Amino acid sequence: MHTSEGKHVLITFARSFLTLELSRLMAAAGHRVTVVDSISITVSRYSKATSKFIKVPPPKFEPQAYCRKLSQIVVDEGVDLVIPIHEETDILAMMVGLFDPSVKLFLTDFATLDTLHNKVSFQRKLDEMGLPTLGFASVSNDAELAAVDFGAPFALKQSYSRGSQNIYKVVPGQPLPSPVYEDGNEWLAQEWTSGTSYCTYSICHEGRIYAHATYPVRYAIDGKSCLTFTETRHPGIFDWVTKIVAETNFTGQIGFDFIDNPDDGLRCIECNPRATSGIMMFREHNRVDRAFFGDNVDAAGNVELIEPDPDVDKMIGVGMLLYGWRKEAYPDNTLRGFTKEFRRAQDVITRKGDERPAVMLVPSYAAILRTCMKYKVGLAEAFMHDHEWDGRRY
């Protein structure tokens, strides 16, 4: 059943490699793609897969102007579906009233997004569902931090934060960190565990999964943000994701971080209710576009799940060059092992017949460096700084 041929999709956060790859997948399936961003020079803008680029206000700092601009673009350009990529997802959900009711935003309601995004409320939600969790506690001041006692090391991270930012490992008997406390952005103290780490990516409609990928954390920035992607079929993880998506009646893109410990079993560490790097694991023939439009359903109403090919092996090449060779990027990392991986994996940026995004990498990063100077943050933070959401209500 294919009813979505030749649609017009608008994809946000054009600087992202996720947007670039999704644009290529959509264009290959016959859809028209418009991309938007708050900076002018972005990799997706120069891809043959995109038909138009439009500069928009930064959603973090001008949320209403951002949403009004997108609403205008949808009407002016005849957009059929808006697919948000990063944490502008939360802002769009919060301000859905600024859009005409006929506009299709591929996301779930704000209350659900917030429950899943907030690291403390997400762990509480798992508790409510009867799913096992690591020990956790909410921390809003130094007294509450000092009172945390799991009898073991624990991680400390803000409820609204990205996986590679501001994580402390607190060890009993050692000096406590001095986190900055913010109203409305409490810290999560979460029992530290070891094991095999996995990430997931799913495309969902009203509590059902239409596409899904699971990939182990291998080469990564500081062991957190993945740089390489290989498909892994993990029934236990898929069962968890299925339960959470159904419980929340979720619609949109969603990812989860898991650790599989040999002694304690599977534990879900946090949720990212937005696009994740797993979208880059799909190939054109997988027709993952059908999942966004809800087309991969048989005559009986059963979802024909779309998954990546078992042999998929991809990487973010520029990320590997910047971080993959470092000791902390991979357990027992060696230059020889890194070189072998770099030669074997397919770069998600470089594409035969669509070379301009790779050519424009340097100018694109120069534009992001200007963001570094504007907001006085590092390169990794600047990449998404003006598209982050830290729990503020507008």
Side-chain angles (χ1 to χ4, degrees):
M1 179 179 179
H2 303 289
T3 61
S4 61
E5 301 297 335
K7 295 291 187 179
H8 185 184
V9 296
L10 183 153
I11 309 176
T12 64
F13 205 42
R15 75 191 73 171
S16 172
F17 304 139
L18 281 66
T19 301
L20 173 62
E21 192 66 6
L22 180 55
S23 297
R24 286 168 167 167
L25 292 169
M26 285 288 181
H31 306 293
R32 179 186 172 197
V33 180
T34 292
V35 294
V36 301
D37 204 303
S38 58
I39 59 176
S40 298
I41 304 175
T42 68
V43 288
S44 300
R45 175 177 184 171
Y46 300 98
S47 172
K48 289 183 178 180
T50 61
S51 61
K52 194 167 189 176
F53 168 84
I54 301 174
K55 187 176 180 182
V56 294
K60 179 176 181 177
F61 303 109
E62 300 178 47
Q64 289 196 16
Y66 176 79
C67 292
R68 292 186 189 281
K69 181 64 175 179
L70 259 60
S71 179
Q72 177 189 339
I73 294 169
V74 168
V75 174
D76 292 348
E77 302 291 331
V79 171
D80 296 297
L81 182 67
V82 177
I83 304 176
I85 295 297
H86 195 46
E87 292 178 4
E88 68 276 6
T89 305
D90 302 81
I91 295 171
L92 288 171
M94 197 186 319
M95 299 190 176
V96 69
L98 295 177
F99 291 82
D100 187 277
S102 63
V103 175
K104 293 184 179 180
L105 301 170
F106 194 59
L107 46 76
T108 203
D109 64 279
F110 174 72
T112 300
L113 275 175
D114 189 33
T115 296
L116 297 170
H117 186 163
N118 183 299
K119 291 178 173 57
V120 173
S121 63
F122 175 61
Q123 293 301 316
R124 289 172 177 158
K125 182 65 178 178
L126 295 180
D127 252 355
E128 291 173 10
M129 293 177 61
L131 294 171
T133 64
L134 297 168
F136 70 93
S138 171
V139 174
S140 298
N141 52 57
D142 286 338
E144 291 179 352
L145 176 58
V148 175
D149 183 12
F150 297 131
F154 62 89
L156 186 67
K157 48 192 174 181
Q158 279 188 294
S159 287
Y160 299 103
S161 63
R162 276 46 63 191
S164 60
Q165 298 177 6
N166 296 327
I167 298 179
Y168 299 98
K169 183 176 182 179
V170 183
V171 179
Q174 294 186 7
L176 295 173
S178 300
V180 176
Y181 299 104
E182 302 172 349
D183 291 339
N185 194 359
E186 61 195 328
W187 290 74
L188 170 71
Q190 186 177 47
E191 194 174 0
W192 197 278
T193 190
S194 59
T196 305
S197 297
Y198 296 94
C199 297
T200 72
Y201 169 77
S202 304
I203 302 170
C204 313
H205 291 269
E206 297 179 340
R208 297 201 295 173
I209 301 173
Y210 281 61
H212 178 81
T214 298
Y215 49 104
V217 178
R218 297 172 62 242
Y219 285 87
I221 301 174
D222 295 328
K224 303 177 185 72
S225 299
C226 290
L227 297 170
T228 59
F229 311 95
T230 57
E231 169 68 354
T232 297
R233 304 291 164 89
H234 194 305
I237 286 178
F238 186 73
D239 183 52
W240 269 66
V241 176
T242 300
K243 289 177 182 176
I244 298 170
V245 167
E247 171 70 17
T248 57
N249 196 36
F250 189 85
T251 294
Q253 302 171 90
I254 193 167
F256 298 89
D257 295 342
F258 289 89
I259 293 183
D260 200 349
N261 183 284
D263 298 321
D264 299 328
L266 198 61
R267 296 293 184 270
C268 190
I269 305 302
E270 61 186 54
C271 174
N272 297 300
R274 52 178 171 80
T276 70
S277 298
I279 186 60
M280 297 188 289
M281 296 172 62
F282 294 91
R283 293 169 173 152
E284 292 178 0
H285 68 262
N286 297 135
R287 286 295 308 275
V288 74
D289 65 293
R290 295 176 298 149
F292 284 92
F293 293 100
D295 284 349
N296 51 315
V297 179
D298 64 21
N302 301 308
V303 175
E304 298 174 343
L305 185 69
I306 298 171
E307 296 178 284
D309 297 329
D311 65 343
V312 68
D313 188 357
K314 295 189 178 183
M315 68 173 177
I316 301 174
V318 64
M320 284 289 280
L321 286 173
L322 290 171
Y323 301 100
W325 51 270
R326 302 182 186 189
K327 183 178 180 180
E328 62 271 17
Y330 189 76
D332 301 319
N333 200 9
T334 64
L335 184 59
R336 182 178 180 181
F338 161 77
T339 303
K340 182 178 179 181
E341 178 68 20
F342 190 84
R343 288 176 175 174
R344 182 180 68 239
Q346 177 190 354
D347 182 21
V348 297
I349 313 303
T350 305
R351 181 71 60 88
K352 186 177 181 180
D354 191 25
E355 292 86 2
R356 290 185 71 194
V359 172
M360 293 303 294
L361 268 175
V362 172
S364 298
Y365 270 83
I368 295 170
L369 283 171
R370 287 196 290 272
T371 302
C372 292
M373 293 183 284
K374 180 178 180 179
Y375 297 115
K376 298 180 180 179
V377 295
L379 179 61
E381 291 81 5
F383 186 81
M384 48 192 158
H385 185 68
D386 60 357
H387 280 64
E388 293 175 352
W389 184 69
D390 293 329
R392 182 181 175 186
R393 269 55 171 177
Y394 300 106

